[in-house]
Amino acid sequence: MNVPERKAHVENVIKIDTTKKCLSIQYSTDRLKPRQPGKARRFTFDAVYGMQATQTEIYENSVRPMVNHMLHGYNVTIFAYGQTGTGKTFTMEGSQMERGIMQNAFRQIFDFKQKEKRHKCIVECCYLELYQGKIRDLLNVSRPTLFDTKAKLTLPCKGLRSVTCQSVEEIENCRKKGYKSRKTASTYFNDYSSRSHAIFIVTLKVLNSKTGKALIHSKLNLVDLAGSECLQKSNATDIRLKECCEINLSLLAVNKVISSTVAGKTYIPYRDSLLTQLLQDSFGGNAKTLMIANIGPAASTYKETLVTLEYANRAKKIKNAPNINFYREDRCHNEEKMREKYKKALEDLAQCKMDYEMAEKRADTLKNMAIKQMKDVAELLVDIGKVNQPNPD
């Protein structure tokens, strides 16, 4: 709960069972009978964390395995979703007192880079935000960027600045620089509310130090989605109202994509929003995806919390089909051996065909010779019969 909710002693409608990885939401909609709660809704997820959970606990249990997949060749997306004011940006970006998912991921990636002695590792990053239907490069705000639907493996936008980083400090400076350029504003719910969706992309390339050939080429999308807002509660006007509508529309598009994917529909409406186009691989595509649903336990945000939980419950049913974007040396060696075997098998097959044709011709020759010999034998038998006949004289 935030400070105003705690001061107002707002009822907590969430009960968490971390052991069973489930939570229930229960609240009476009848204000005259607060002691007669409504029917509880129960949700089960891969992991559930309470208000006392630390960033380190969340990272070690849920995020580190995902980043490890990225280090071994998979494309990975980690995104935070929830109503405004529930701590999504804090979860992703952290604070001066506690590192968030981004900072911990940077450390894990560069630990891998430092330990990798046999090959050369190249770490690149870029940072973009989607604000009112337009893409802004947070590392080069003055430069326009264009969306490119064909560049699915590395960068999703033409003109997006990519920075090669040699250390945790360098990539962290890029994050800080981009964060300062993000669109934020004070709203009814949050003094520093994100007014845009932000995506920090880390690209990893592992090259053979001798040949220079790429062994691993993967990416990590770290996504901080702007929070959904209830227009009636937000009291937004003018530019804040326009931002609120744009945010809600893009999140609705994500919801439609998730619903269509879970339903197994042949047409998935990715093109309804730039956000869904940017995250197309993350929903039913070539990526491993982790969704972190941030919720508020206060009774005053009961409906928004329930929507977030239902949203996450649908999202967990999506089945992606991630592929490894790398070639291991032993795999290349095995493929080369198989090519050699295949080539030799073709040569052996050609030789067998030649031998068969020669054998077939020889068989025809032998057959003709046998037929001739049989004719000769038959003629000899006739002649012998004539010789053995008695003389009539």
Side-chain angles (χ1 to χ4, degrees), residues 18 35 67 74 78 101 120 128 203 211 255 268 284 289 296 301:
T18 55
R35 294 187 179 181
V67 178
Y74 287 98
I78 301 170
I101 287 175
K120 180 180 179 181
L128 64 92
T203 304
T211 64
N255 194 6
I268 310 297
T289 302
T301 58

Side-chain angles (χ1 to χ4, degrees), residues 25 223 282 296 308 382:
I25 178 169
V223 187
S282 304
T308 300
V382 172

Side-chain angles (χ1 to χ4, degrees), residues 254-270 280 282-285 314-315 317-320:
V254 174
N255 194 6
K256 288 171 64 178
V257 165
I258 290 175
S259 299
S260 299
T261 305
V262 172
K265 294 183 179 179
T266 55
Y267 172 73
I268 310 297
Y270 292 113
Q280 182 171 345
S282 304
F283 301 114
R314 284 194 296 273
K317 298 177 183 178
I318 294 177
K319 301 296 182 183
N320 283 10

Side-chain angles (χ1 to χ4, degrees), residues 73-86:
Y74 287 98
N75 292 337
V76 173
T77 296
I78 301 170
F79 73 98
Y81 171 83
Q83 67 210 52
T84 186
T86 53

Side-chain angles (χ1 to χ4, degrees), residues 348-367:
D348 292 343
L349 180 62
Q351 185 63 45
C352 289
K353 187 177 180 181
M354 290 177 61
D355 292 344
Y356 174 77
E357 290 175 350
M358 290 179 65
E360 196 174 35
K361 289 180 181 179
R362 182 169 176 77
D364 290 340
T365 302
L366 292 173
K367 182 179 179 181

Side-chain angles (χ1 to χ4, degrees), residues 126-149 151 155-161 181-183 195-201 246 250 273-279:
C126 52
Y127 203 178
L128 64 92
E129 76 169 351
L130 180 58
Y131 177 69
Q132 292 195 14
K134 295 181 180 179
I135 295 173
R136 296 175 67 242
D137 188 345
L138 293 176
L139 299 182
N140 191 3
V141 181
S142 61
R143 185 177 181 181
T145 54
L146 299 174
F147 180 70
D148 185 1
T149 56
L155 304 180
C157 302
K158 289 181 179 179
L160 194 63
R161 183 186 178 190
S181 301
R182 282 195 68 181
K183 294 288 185 179
R195 312 311 295 164
S196 65
H197 307 298
I199 305 176
F200 193 98
I201 304 171
E246 188 64 40
S250 59
S273 169
L274 263 180
L275 178 62
T276 50
Q277 291 184 67
L278 288 170
L279 299 178

Side-chain angles (χ1 to χ4, degrees), residues 11-13 26-38 299:
E11 179 187 356
N12 186 338
V13 296
Q26 189 173 25
Y27 177 59
S28 174
T29 56
D30 188 351
R31 295 183 180 180
L32 299 178
K33 299 178 180 179
R35 294 187 179 181
Q36 296 182 11

